[in-house]
Amino acid sequence: MSRARPGFLLVATATAAVAVLAAGCGTERAGEQAAPARGAATPTRPAEPTNFPCPGESRTPSPTATANATAPASGGGGPLADHYAENHGFREPFPLYGQHRCDGLAAVQRIKAALEPLRRRGDFAPESIQSALT
């Protein structure tokens, strides 16, 4: 019986490992969608949220809403920009759609109506504001 040399076993094992790893390469390319497996359900894209005008709302967007939507995220650039965006992401408003949006606009109007008399009088005492809001 002959003994196999250790160098030969090492080369044979490495060649087999490379062959196994290379067998799965090249099936997808960058930027392409992977084809679904045969018999698998095709993934569906979520429906786009729908908006409808809320009661008392004009059809044209307010200038501040369009300015906020197109304003670039602040971050100052540089290597810390990504961390700034991560740490201050809670400040970025997210859009509301449908009934949730109408409920939010109605709440804003109720708060404005409650605080407007205090603003006209110049009464900014915390007790007055708390009383008006409750």
Side-chain angles (χ1 to χ4, degrees):
M1 214 182 218
S2 68
R3 294 173 84 190
R5 292 184 305 190
F8 176 74
L9 288 177
L10 182 63
V11 171
T13 305
T15 305
V18 169
V20 169
L21 292 175
C25 294
T27 58
E28 292 183 28
R29 297 182 192 264
E32 290 182 357
Q33 286 279 5
R38 188 174 285 172
T42 57
T44 58
R45 189 171 163 206
E48 292 292 323
T50 58
N51 249 347
F52 48 85
C54 298
E57 180 182 31
S58 66
R59 291 223 180 250
T60 59
S62 65
T64 57
T66 55
N68 288 342
T70 59
S74 59
L80 299 178
D82 291 337
H83 293 294
Y84 184 89
E86 289 174 7
N87 294 336
H88 294 84
F90 68 93
R91 293 182 178 180
E92 296 296 322
F94 56 91
L96 293 177
Y97 297 99
Q99 188 60 44
H100 294 294
R101 184 173 156 273
C102 292
D103 294 343
L105 291 174
V108 167
Q109 290 305 319
R110 286 194 309 270
I111 292 170
K112 280 184 178 180
L115 295 178
E116 182 60 27
L118 296 176
R119 185 193 66 80
R120 276 190 249 124
R121 287 195 311 253
D123 184 8
F124 301 110
E127 299 83 25
S128 302
I129 294 171
Q130 183 178 8
S131 174
L133 290 176
T134 55

